[in-house]
Amino acid sequence: MPSENEKNNQIKEFGQVPVNTEEGSGIHCITIIGQVEGHVSMPPQNKTTKYEHIIPQLVALSDDPKIKGLLVILNTVGGDVEAGLALAELIASFEKPVVSLVLGGAHSIGVPIAVSSDYSFITPSATMTIHPVRMNGTVLGVVQTFEYFDQMQERIVEFVSSNSGISPERFRELMLDTGKLAKDMGTILVGKQAVEEKIIHEVGGLKEALHKLHEMILAKEGEV
């Protein structure tokens, strides 16, 4: 059982409490909050999710026989595309049951992370922003730059459509809509709208997410 100091350190560093697998249910919770940080460190005042923290955790949890399921809770503005896709791919290939819950928001690259689970929930007031890929810094005005952006967007479109019920055509339509956001392209979906677009499975909160995860764990154990 983790000591009080270990628990406090986990809360401080990773924003999570270690699960007591000896007495608990074997469910581990991972949070994706603030901005998904990639290869460049964000300013210290920014709330971030560091992918170098999450990746080794997912590997360890996958290999731990005491862990039976994973709950991923999201409230993120998005962030680094490649880091976000790396986390999404890793969660999608997690061999144990995974349920995601969108609280507050799962914007931009948070969308692929939200749909990477086996089953997804969104609270009624939570939002998801779907928009084209952006890039900071110097951008060369050449054809190759456009092709690179297009290729990166297609990676996101393909992943989301492969891991949810939305079609690639409809996702692109939402991504490139010019009538929903001021001075920008894209679409904001609120709670039920994300379910109606078949991106998220169901509207619900923590109770529903945990109930579904327990259900999936029992079903998986019954297969063994």
Side-chain angles (χ1 to χ4, degrees):
M1 182 175 178
S3 67
E4 199 63 34
N5 283 337
E6 288 174 330
K7 286 183 178 180
N8 290 337
N9 284 334
Q10 283 278 65
I11 294 171
K12 181 179 178 181
E13 293 298 326
F14 307 119
Q16 57 188 251
V17 178
V19 174
N20 182 1
T21 51
E22 293 180 4
E23 300 176 8
S25 61
I27 290 175
H28 191 88
C29 175
I30 282 184
T31 54
I32 308 293
I33 62 165
Q35 191 158 349
V36 178
E37 189 178 88
H39 306 305
V40 179
S41 295
M42 300 298 297
Q45 69 268 21
N46 287 38
K47 288 284 186 182
T48 62
T49 294
K50 300 179 184 294
Y51 79 111
E52 70 269 24
H53 287 174
I54 303 296
I55 289 175
Q57 284 185 68
L58 289 171
V59 174
L61 294 170
S62 179
D63 199 44
D64 189 344
K66 294 178 183 178
I67 299 299
K68 300 176 182 178
L70 185 65
L71 176 64
V72 180
I73 295 181
L74 299 99
N75 186 10
T76 175
V77 295
D80 188 278
V81 172
E82 291 195 345
L85 279 178
L87 294 179
E89 291 282 10
L90 207 53
I91 293 170
S93 62
F94 201 78
E95 63 177 350
K96 300 170 185 179
V98 183
V99 169
S100 62
L101 172 61
V102 178
L103 295 170
H107 307 293
S108 191
I109 202 61
V111 176
I113 299 174
V115 305
S116 63
S117 61
D118 299 307
Y119 202 87
S120 55
F121 287 89
I122 185 170
T123 57
S125 63
T127 58
M128 303 183 82
T129 304
I130 301 164
H131 62 68
V133 171
R134 285 87 171 263
M135 183 175 288
N136 295 325
T138 302
V139 178
L140 298 178
V142 294
V143 174
Q144 291 91 331
T145 301
F146 172 77
E147 290 176 348
Y148 174 72
F149 272 65
D150 190 53
Q151 183 187 55
M152 190 176 289
Q153 280 188 184
E154 281 307 302
R155 289 161 62 192
I156 296 171
V157 171
E158 184 178 344
F159 183 90
V160 173
S161 61
S162 297
N163 289 274
S164 69
I166 194 169
S167 67
E169 294 76 20
R170 178 56 179 164
F171 191 75
R172 287 192 201 95
E173 187 179 332
L174 295 174
M175 181 184 281
L176 302 174
D177 195 330
T178 57
K180 299 289 193 302
L181 299 175
K183 298 182 181 180
D184 202 350
M185 300 171 72
T187 304
I188 296 176
L189 301 175
V190 182
K192 190 179 178 182
Q193 292 175 319
V195 177
E196 291 171 348
E197 292 289 354
K198 300 180 182 179
I199 296 174
I200 298 296
H201 287 105
E202 194 176 330
V203 174
L206 181 61
K207 178 178 68 175
E208 290 80 8
L210 284 174
H211 178 77
K212 182 65 177 180
L213 188 51
H214 281 294
E215 189 180 279
M216 292 166 66
I217 290 170
L218 288 174
K220 186 172 179 64
E221 288 178 341
E223 295 173 359
V224 177

